[in-house]
Amino acid sequence: MILAIDEIDKVRNSAGGWSDDFFAAIRAFYESRQSNSLQQRAGFLLIGVAPPSDLAKDSKATPFNIGHHIVLTDFTREEARKFENGFVLAGQSAERASALLDAVMWYTGDHPYLTQRLCYQAPQMLAQEGNAGARARE
């Protein structure tokens, strides 16, 4: 089980001084995993723009050095090439699938989530347009 907490940088900058206690609780949970089998199967995913070393503000507190910094990058064209299959399965030619993927990547700026989302929705939209066109011709 993973407990995901987004915008961790906002938690760090929160008013009231509770953020150091919050991160201390996560660290205590992490350190007690050796003695509790339930805790060994659980973890935290802190999402945001704060490096782990910046999370605790109190200089007297134990440093929050149990995290791992992961850098996410945009898709390259080669990484996204797999999405062309969705367009082909929706009835597009290989050439058209490649052109559609190029258009999606240009529109999304190669952003991974947006590229995946549009590549999921675009074949459905193309199929709907095809069905509407077939009905109009009838």
Side-chain angles (χ1 to χ4, degrees):
M1 173 181 79
I2 301 292
L3 177 61
I5 303 167
D6 197 3
E7 298 192 31
I8 201 66
D9 46 313
K10 289 194 170 71
V11 171
R12 179 189 60 164
N13 296 326
S14 66
W18 60 269
S19 65
D20 281 347
D21 293 337
F22 175 76
F23 294 116
I26 291 175
R27 183 176 187 86
F29 183 95
Y30 176 81
E31 290 175 348
S32 66
R33 292 185 336 162
Q34 298 300 328
S35 60
N36 186 326
S37 63
L38 179 62
Q39 285 176 286
Q40 290 174 2
R41 297 188 310 251
F44 292 88
L45 173 62
L46 308 178
I47 306 165
V49 294
S53 60
D54 287 354
L55 294 179
K57 289 187 265 185
D58 185 358
S59 61
K60 297 175 195 159
T62 305
F64 195 72
N65 59 358
I66 57 175
H68 302 281
H69 187 100
I70 300 171
V71 177
L72 300 177
T73 59
D74 291 339
F75 277 141
T76 65
R77 181 61 171 83
E78 190 58 36
E79 291 170 328
R81 183 173 309 284
K82 297 170 188 162
F83 295 122
E84 288 178 12
N85 293 337
F87 293 115
V88 171
L89 291 172
Q92 303 298 313
S93 69
E95 284 179 357
R96 177 93 168 119
S98 181
L100 287 167
L101 180 57
D102 288 340
V104 166
M105 292 191 70
W106 173 83
Y107 184 77
T108 64
D110 307 332
H111 187 276
Y113 173 76
L114 295 176
T115 299
Q116 291 178 65
R117 186 71 181 166
L118 277 179
C119 285
Y120 172 75
Q121 287 184 313
Q124 295 172 353
M125 294 168 54
L126 290 168
Q128 288 174 352
E129 286 178 7
N131 291 339
R135 281 184 292 222
R137 287 188 295 267
E138 291 176 355

